């Protein structure tokens, strides 16, 4: 079970730099009433993050109402690609809300037409038709439906298997959790659908064999006929580790899916809109998936997500069979249009590449000093540092927790550790972060490992 940060205020070192400010005990005593109210009225499962009561956020900094300021290494949870609280986004949201159109279901709106055109225009063909939803989990559910429907047409009822990857996270709805590769998250399901299978992700760390032959051998060991695969679902990089697959593997997977008439689905919910140093994460592989799934950084703020595919695939369902109550909510569309404009106009993917190089150089330097950092993975402005004990096979969740706690108490904010055994420290700042902020915050990270290296 995940650890929880205590709610007993305690003294922490005073921090006062140009970018960080910690001036109170933590958690802030005056914030306890809010935290305790949340504990009283929300489920236990909502807990687990550092106890910061956010008041406002700007760019790459998060502020509480008590005089403290953190460099944000969370982006919420990889949401605020264009930065927190951007005036352009606020103005767009306010203007749309003031227009009086707050919702319209699947009825037409001008702003929804502009957003789907904008997204389609930025993507390579054959990705052209855009279905707007609310969360990443919904996009995964939709991709399962589209894959299995396509499989039914191409191979009958037997062609319904979705292949995904061990340790993958695709969301918390029923289909998304069955496609996910974290067994503990689906124990509650009981009667698992045999049409979902997982194979090891070729990360080169915990799974040393990164050959595509291994993928095919795994399917053989599962006694799975490739002709019965409807789709292969993969995070562009694994969210729990920030690991990318080898380029040769991905190109072979693309060819394999084409040969067996299976849809290649890339879950770009974390990777899209500049996060990895390219506009789309799949650009690193030199391929275009059959379906691309987006969320999080699409709007840098409000709930919005999208499934994008070819006209053939996206038009395969009859009229009225793919809708959602909040499809293309006009206020969310306004936020997304403003966010996308910022990402493109300010070249934030390029900034993620350039500043990300500084981040990864520093992380490798830190790794070289501390054997308990098993690996550093990621690209651009996403990274995962795997904390280990007794070799790479054993995650050290306690160390990862203490690293996050130390940084939070000194003005660098991350969400709780993720990944295998809760042993990965995940770093994902807004794409507007500066080199100065990266150098300052990695200094704090290095101090954290020094403090817990004995």
């Amino acid at each position: 079970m995940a650890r929880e940060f205590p709610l007993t205020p305690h003294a922490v070192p005073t921090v006062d730099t140009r970018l960080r400010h910690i001036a109170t005990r933590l958690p802030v005593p005056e914030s306890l009433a809010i935290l305790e109210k949340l504990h009283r009225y929300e489920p236990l499962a909502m807990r687990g993050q550092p106890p910061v009561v956010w008041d406002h956020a700007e760019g790459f900094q998060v502020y509480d109402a008590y005089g403290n300021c953190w460099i944000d290494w969370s982006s919420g949870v990889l949401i605020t690609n264009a930065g927190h609280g951007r005036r352009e986004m606020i103005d767009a949201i306010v203007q749309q809300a003031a227009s009086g159109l707050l919702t319209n279901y699947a009825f037409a709106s001008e702003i929804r037409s502009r957003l789907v055109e904008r997204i389609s225009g930025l993507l390579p063909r054959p990705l052209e038709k855009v279905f707007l939803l609310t969360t990443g989990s919904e996009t995964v559910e939709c991709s399962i439906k589209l894959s299995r429907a396509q499989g039914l047409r191409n191979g009958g009822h037997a062609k319904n298997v979705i292949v995904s990857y061990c340790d993958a996270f695709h969301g918390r709805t029923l289909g998304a959790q069955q496609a996910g590769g974290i067994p503990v998250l689906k124990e509650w399901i009981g009667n698992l659908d045999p049409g979902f299978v997982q194979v090891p992700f070729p990360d080169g760390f915990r799974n040393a064999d990164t050959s595509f032959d291994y993928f095919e051998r795994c399917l053989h060991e599962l006694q799975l006929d490739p002709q019965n695969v409807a789709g292969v679902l993969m995070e562009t990089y694994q969210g729990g580790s920030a690991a990318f697959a080898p380029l040769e593997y991905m190109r072979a997977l693309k060819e394999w899916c084409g040969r067996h008439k299976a849809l290649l689905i890339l879950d770009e919910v974390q990777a899209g809109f500049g996060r990895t140093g390219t506009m789309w994460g799949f650009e690193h592989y030199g391929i275009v998936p059959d379906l691309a799934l987006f969320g999080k950084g699409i709007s840098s703020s409000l709930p919005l997500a999208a499934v994008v595919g070819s006209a053939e695939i996206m038009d395969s369902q009859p009229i009225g069979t793919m809708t959602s109550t909040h499809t293309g909510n006009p206020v969310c569309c306004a936020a997304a249009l403003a966010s996308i404009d910022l990402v493109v106009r300010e070249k934030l993917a390029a900034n993620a590449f350039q500043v990300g190089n500084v981040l990864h150089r520093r992380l490798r330097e830190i790794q070289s000093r501390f054997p308990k950092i098993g690996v550093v993975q990621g690209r651009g402005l996403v990274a995962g540092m795997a904390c280990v004990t007794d070799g790479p096979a054993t995650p050290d969740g306690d160390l990862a927790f203490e690293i996050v706690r130390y940084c939070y108490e000194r003005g660098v904010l991350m969400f709780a550790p993720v990944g295998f055994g809760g042993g990965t420290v995940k770093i994902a700042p807004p794409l507007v972060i500066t080199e100065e902020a990266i150098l300052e915050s990695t200094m704090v990270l290095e101090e954290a490992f020094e403090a817990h290296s004995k």
Side-chain angles (χ1 to χ4, degrees):
M1 184 176 177
R3 288 178 60 178
E4 186 174 3
F5 292 85
L7 293 189
T8 303
H10 61 281
V12 298
T14 299
V15 177
D16 188 15
T17 75
R18 200 175 74 81
L19 301 177
R20 295 176 293 134
H21 194 69
I22 302 295
T24 68
R25 290 184 292 162
L26 293 179
V28 180
E30 292 83 355
S31 73
L32 293 182
I34 297 170
L35 295 165
E36 289 165 356
K37 185 183 295 185
L38 291 170
H39 283 199
R40 186 178 308 121
Y41 295 110
E42 289 185 338
L44 178 70
M46 277 288 290
R47 302 184 197 174
Q49 299 306 324
V52 176
V53 177
W54 291 34
D55 180 70
H56 65 285
E58 299 174 4
F60 57 82
Q61 293 166 295
V62 169
Y63 299 80
D64 66 14
Y66 315 103
N68 299 313
C69 170
W70 289 262
I71 294 174
D72 180 27
W73 269 11
S74 75
S75 297
V77 58
L78 296 105
I79 296 170
T80 53
N81 285 22
H84 291 284
R86 297 297 301 271
R87 175 48 55 186
E88 295 89 340
M89 291 168 46
I90 294 170
D91 289 345
I93 291 167
V94 169
Q95 181 180 355
Q96 180 58 44
S99 77
L101 183 63
L102 300 181
T103 187
N104 58 298
Y105 174 53
F107 294 102
S109 71
E110 187 272 340
I111 196 165
R112 192 174 87 227
S113 74
R114 284 198 284 132
L115 179 58
V116 294
E117 180 184 37
R118 183 76 163 120
I119 293 170
S120 177
L122 290 170
L123 283 159
R125 294 296 174 261
L127 299 177
E128 57 184 320
K129 288 221 168 185
V130 183
F131 178 36
L132 296 176
L133 290 159
T134 309
T135 69
S137 293
E138 283 186 286
T139 69
V140 172
E141 297 283 352
C142 180
S143 74
I144 293 168
K145 177 178 182 175
L146 290 169
S147 298
R148 285 186 161 175
Q150 190 93 334
L152 181 63
R153 287 188 296 274
N154 290 332
H157 288 284
K159 193 173 179 64
N160 72 341
V161 178
I162 305 296
V163 178
S164 53
Y165 286 82
C166 301
D167 301 321
F169 182 81
H170 292 291
R172 298 196 185 277
T173 54
L174 180 61
Q177 294 225 311
Q178 296 209 84
I182 305 173
V184 70
L185 293 184
K186 44 191 174 183
E187 288 176 352
W188 64 274
I189 298 173
N191 56 330
L192 291 170
D193 183 341
F196 291 94
V197 301
Q198 283 82 49
V199 297
F201 187 88
D203 66 352
F205 178 56
R206 290 195 170 93
N207 299 309
D209 192 339
T210 63
S211 69
F212 190 72
D213 287 344
Y214 185 47
F215 173 89
E216 296 186 292
R217 292 200 307 274
C218 288
L219 296 189
H220 179 73
E221 290 169 7
L222 291 166
Q223 298 182 327
L224 176 57
D225 185 342
Q227 298 305 318
N228 291 335
V229 175
V232 178
L233 171 62
M234 174 191 268
E235 296 167 287
T236 302
Y237 65 80
Q238 281 216 308
S241 64
F244 282 75
L247 183 142
E248 297 79 11
Y249 181 103
M250 293 303 295
R251 291 181 173 174
L253 177 60
K254 171 70 173 175
E255 189 276 331
W256 185 94
C257 286
R259 180 158 34 97
H260 295 288
K261 296 184 178 179
L263 298 187
L264 176 57
I265 310 155
L266 286 185
D267 180 341
E268 289 256 322
V269 170
Q270 289 194 21
F273 296 93
R275 170 62 57 185
T276 67
T278 55
M279 189 64 177
W280 317 115
F282 59 74
E283 292 181 72
H284 292 287
Y285 299 131
I287 62 171
V288 179
D290 298 300
L291 290 174
L293 314 181
F294 301 107
K296 294 186 183 295
I298 191 173
S299 72
S300 295
S301 56
L302 302 184
L304 194 73
V307 180
V308 189
S310 68
E312 177 189 0
I313 295 170
M314 299 300 290
D315 287 341
S316 65
Q317 300 303 295
I319 289 173
T321 60
M322 287 207 321
T323 63
S324 178
T325 301
H326 294 290
T327 287
N329 174 275
V331 181
C332 296
C333 285
L337 281 165
S339 176
I340 292 168
D341 283 347
L342 287 167
V343 169
V344 172
R345 185 172 69 248
E346 297 183 354
K347 298 180 172 58
L348 294 184
N351 191 64
F353 175 80
Q354 293 160 5
V355 179
N357 284 341
V358 177
L359 169 66
H360 286 275
R361 173 177 57 79
R362 285 288 294 125
L363 296 182
R364 289 192 297 272
E365 290 171 356
I366 295 169
Q367 180 193 9
S368 71
R369 294 188 55 205
F370 302 104
K372 287 196 171 184
I373 303 173
V375 70
V376 174
Q377 295 174 305
R379 293 180 185 180
L381 284 173
V382 63
M385 302 186 81
C387 297
V388 299
T389 182
D390 300 325
T394 309
D396 192 338
D398 288 336
L399 174 59
F401 181 91
E402 291 303 325
I403 296 303
V404 171
R405 181 195 60 78
Y406 183 101
C407 291
Y408 139 71
E409 292 180 352
R410 286 155 180 81
V412 177
L413 186 62
M414 290 177 274
F415 44 77
V418 295
F420 182 57
T424 299
V425 175
K426 187 82 170 282
I427 300 165
L431 308 189
V432 294
I433 198 166
T434 62
E435 181 175 338
E436 176 191 9
I438 288 294
L439 293 174
E440 182 168 326
S441 45
T442 52
M443 176 191 70
V444 175
L445 180 70
E446 189 165 19
E447 291 172 355
F449 278 102
E450 286 173 348
H452 293 90
S453 63
K454 298 178 175 60

